[in-house]
Amino acid sequence: MTYVVTVDICIPEGTPELDPLQRAGAVALVEDGLDAVRAVEGPDGAQVDVLDTIVAVHPGGALLKVVVDAPALEFAEGSVQVLVDELLERTEVLADWAIERCEVELHQDLARESLAAADGPDAPPDDLALRRARHTAGAPSAQNPGEGVDGAATKARAVRARMLELAAELRAFPPAVFGVEADDDRRAVPAESARLAAGALVHATDTLVDELFEDVQVLAQEDATVAECEGPLWHLERLPDRYALQYDARFGRRFLVTVIALTTRFTDGSFQHLSCVAEELALRFLLNEATTTLELHDLLDDHVSRALANLADALCVDTDHDRVHHPAALLPFTSWFTRFTEDSYAHPSTTDEPEAAPQ
């Protein structure tokens, strides 16, 4: 069975954050170490094959996504943890780094197989977006039509509390950016609405990263571009249609790393400005993900919508759907990962120029 293992590794506590040169070096070391391994021996001699890896280094460490084929979930998690442990131990400059989290996620294909086997009135819908909405909102069952309403309300309260708690993690943006104490009444929002908007962005980050990773895996498995892909995609098919033949797995990996690098700067407080077209698109996806989650839980009122709009305005991002897909609104595809200015941040994994695309 195929599993996706997410691993967070962090630098030693109390040490300075990694500068851009150190991050570039760490990416190379981790990627080279993982690329050199094709299989790992799991418990009882079981073989665990390493199918794919994605590495994104940030100032406080790195996020790894490791796709493995293993006999069981426990073998997948244990083998990847051993693999990363050994990689850190044998790499002198990473020897003091530590694994903070190592979790297994079912690969999308297995989830679809399980869902396809389900039957009856409570079987989930085939459409991925509808399925996520149903799962998140707590749809009522046929036997207990009122049960889902109470469950959805309870979950909405829990999600609201969680988002308000997460708001503090969005260190790059003070409340004023969301419109708290704004002089213009058309922009002003209550402090709690600003916190809810901030927390929704943090909450949406994990979902967006996981779903983009699934998109990359679908493209890699089919060896196809978005235009050619037959499998379901969460986000990449919503990029401008003009370049759909250019969105392959390699592009998807670069875009995913861009999202991780951008949101890491949001949460560690180092964000200064958007660095490239890819980051503009990534922010649109993040705002859309946050808005969708808030809507699903009936938490998107006028004040919260205004808070998100104020942030988009502050970052000079047009969130209008039609403009996102209008070719005139974008620089050429070959420039999507090119830094706007000399001091713009660029993750080392995204700096290689993509192949030429038709203009």
Side-chain angles (χ1 to χ4, degrees):
M1 292 186 179
T2 305
Y3 299 93
V4 179
V5 186
T6 300
V7 186
D8 278 322
I9 55 178
C10 58
I11 61 177
E13 188 174 351
T15 59
E17 291 186 338
L18 304 174
D19 60 34
L21 183 59
Q22 291 172 320
R23 292 198 289 271
V27 165
L29 290 171
V30 176
E31 285 183 341
D32 289 348
L34 293 177
D35 288 346
V37 179
R38 291 290 175 264
V40 183
E41 185 174 322
D44 300 326
Q47 178 170 307
V48 175
D49 295 323
V50 179
L51 306 179
D52 196 9
T53 60
I54 290 180
V55 179
V57 174
H58 53 82
L63 175 67
L64 318 179
K65 293 278 189 176
V66 185
V67 184
V68 297
D69 186 58
L73 182 148
E74 294 79 9
F75 289 0
E77 182 178 281
S79 298
V80 171
Q81 181 151 352
V82 169
L83 169 62
V84 176
D85 267 333
E86 291 181 352
L87 169 62
L88 297 179
E89 185 177 347
R90 69 171 182 263
T91 308
E92 184 177 355
V93 297
L94 305 177
D96 294 332
W97 289 34
I99 295 178
E100 194 172 68
R101 176 174 66 113
C102 184
E103 295 178 349
V104 170
E105 305 164 12
L106 265 180
H107 192 269
Q108 188 184 53
D109 285 350
L110 291 178
R112 283 203 298 271
E113 288 175 12
S114 298
L115 290 165
D119 198 5
D122 291 330
D126 294 331
D127 184 82
L128 288 176
L130 292 176
R131 189 163 72 234
R132 181 178 62 175
R134 172 176 173 169
H135 172 72
T136 308
S141 65
Q143 292 80 7
N144 299 293
E147 180 182 21
V149 176
D150 293 340
T154 300
K155 185 158 189 176
R157 288 192 294 270
V159 170
R160 179 186 181 87
R162 178 59 178 157
M163 288 183 178
L164 291 174
E165 180 183 344
L166 289 172
E169 296 186 17
L170 200 71
R171 297 180 179 88
F173 306 113
V177 176
F178 291 95
V180 176
E181 298 182 358
D183 296 332
D184 186 349
D185 290 341
R186 293 172 298 180
R187 294 186 62 251
V189 300
E192 184 163 303
S193 296
R195 288 176 58 211
L196 193 55
L201 289 169
V202 178
H203 186 277
T205 296
D206 284 344
T207 303
L208 179 60
V209 168
D210 287 342
E211 290 173 351
L212 281 172
F213 186 79
E214 289 189 14
D215 281 0
V216 172
Q217 291 307 301
V218 171
L219 294 178
Q221 288 172 354
E222 294 191 15
D223 191 21
T225 65
V226 166
E228 304 159 336
C229 184
E230 296 181 358
L233 298 171
W234 288 109
H235 298 284
L236 293 181
E237 64 183 1
R238 295 191 294 112
L239 288 168
D241 294 337
R242 182 184 185 187
Y243 300 120
L245 284 170
Q246 305 297 321
Y247 309 144
D248 55 11
R250 177 177 178 271
F251 165 83
R253 289 187 180 92
R254 297 178 77 195
F255 190 75
L256 173 59
V257 171
T258 296
V259 171
I260 294 171
L262 176 65
T263 53
T264 296
R265 281 150 50 218
F266 284 175
T267 54
D268 69 14
S270 64
F271 176 83
Q272 295 181 342
H273 55 80
L274 294 171
S275 297
C276 59
V277 171
E279 286 199 350
E280 290 184 345
L281 293 169
L283 180 57
R284 291 186 177 108
F285 278 4
L286 184 64
L287 289 166
N288 182 72
E289 190 71 41
T291 300
T292 299
T293 302
L294 289 163
E295 286 178 334
L296 287 174
H297 297 288
D298 199 24
L299 298 174
L300 188 69
D301 59 22
D302 290 342
H303 292 308
V304 179
S305 293
R306 189 180 306 160
L308 290 171
N310 288 339
L311 175 66
D313 288 345
L315 298 180
C316 300
V317 171
D318 188 343
T319 57
D320 183 81
H321 180 82
D322 292 333
R323 281 185 57 80
V324 172
H325 287 76
H326 194 286
L330 296 169
L331 291 172
F333 178 76
T334 50
S335 301
W336 280 15
F337 295 96
T338 301
R339 293 183 297 171
F340 290 145
T341 63
E342 287 292 330
D343 65 342
S344 294
Y345 175 78
H347 192 280
S349 295
T350 67
T351 53
D352 292 336
E353 289 296 326
E355 295 178 0
Q359 304 299 318

